[in-house]
Amino acid sequence: MASVIDICSNALLLVGAQTISALDEGNDRARLVANLYDGVKNAVIRSHPWNCCIKRVALAPLSESPAFDYAYQFLLPPDCAKILQVGEYRQEIGYRIEAGCILADETAVFLKYVSKDIDESQFDDLLSDAIMYAMASRVAYPLTQSATLQQTMEQKLAMVMREARSVDGQDAPPETIGDDALVNSRFFGTRW
């Protein structure tokens, strides 16, 4: 289980800099990582549907309806980094995203999404590593003035991200195709 300080300090170590004990230490390293951390973390979280960051919520419509095309609008949760599903499983609904709202013709919306406000202690270890390497790639040049080190960190980040996404994707059971007419016709409709 990692904390913000663990992730940032380890990123600093990867580029050969001294660690920090708090984001508000008052030195250049702490100011740099404090300035970059939220944006880097959110970008990594948005890049994949990390199992530890998925949330589900039922949304109620706002009192004001859209001007046209849809009957209702629903405010997106403030921690929503990426929408995974609107509607219940295999019963997705037609919708649009506009100005932080979901527009739909349903009276209630079920939303599955990736949250950016998950506490770091809840992160999978590989997600923590991915954020750490993303931070290292972002702080490498400002701290060392070495484009080579920055490029090395970016290459390591790409490898860590591939592994982390692969392992995270294997944690969930595979989705089934289901019983629909097209699938059934392919398997049972004709003979060779």
Side-chain angles (χ1 to χ4, degrees):
M1 291 189 217
S3 69
V4 175
I5 300 303
D6 294 335
I7 292 169
C8 292
S9 287
N10 289 334
L12 291 168
L13 284 173
L14 288 172
V15 299
Q18 291 181 342
T19 62
I20 59 170
S21 57
L23 293 177
D24 59 356
E25 263 182 21
N27 59 51
D28 289 341
R29 294 179 324 282
R31 281 191 289 275
L32 179 63
V33 296
N35 186 44
L36 294 174
Y37 182 75
D38 285 336
V40 170
K41 177 190 82 162
N42 291 344
V44 172
I45 286 174
R46 185 169 164 73
S47 73
H48 177 78
W50 305 99
N51 292 320
C52 62
C53 297
I54 294 175
K55 285 187 177 179
R56 295 170 188 258
V57 66
L59 301 174
L62 297 173
S63 58
E64 185 178 322
S65 297
F68 56 91
D69 288 340
Y70 292 95
Y72 302 98
Q73 64 181 348
F74 306 82
L75 189 63
L76 281 171
D79 64 329
C80 182
K82 183 177 188 173
I83 293 174
L84 300 176
Q85 176 184 313
V86 178
E88 295 184 80
Y89 180 65
R90 291 194 180 174
Q91 295 176 4
E92 287 85 6
I93 62 170
Y95 71 95
R96 298 293 274 173
I97 303 295
E98 295 177 3
C101 291
I102 297 174
L103 308 181
D105 287 327
E106 306 293 321
T107 57
V109 165
F110 297 101
L111 178 68
K112 179 179 172 185
Y113 67 100
V114 177
S115 172
K116 61 185 174 187
D117 287 344
I118 303 296
D119 184 72
E120 284 79 2
S121 66
Q122 302 300 312
F123 285 171
D124 177 88
D125 290 339
L126 291 175
L127 174 56
S128 294
D129 283 353
I131 296 170
M132 177 184 64
Y133 274 97
M135 283 294 295
S137 72
R138 292 290 297 275
V139 301
Y141 190 79
L143 289 177
T144 67
Q145 306 302 300
S146 171
T148 304
L149 179 60
Q150 180 182 14
Q151 187 176 31
T152 300
M153 289 297 114
E154 288 171 354
Q155 290 169 348
K156 288 183 177 183
L157 170 61
M159 291 186 324
V160 168
M161 287 292 285
R162 275 193 299 274
E163 179 187 6
R165 288 175 177 155
S166 174
V167 170
D168 189 71
Q170 293 170 28
D171 284 345
E175 290 187 22
T176 57
I177 295 175
D179 266 351
D180 72 6
L182 177 63
V183 173
N184 289 334
S185 71
R186 291 197 67 184
F187 292 113
F188 306 114
T190 61
R191 294 186 178 242
W192 299 97

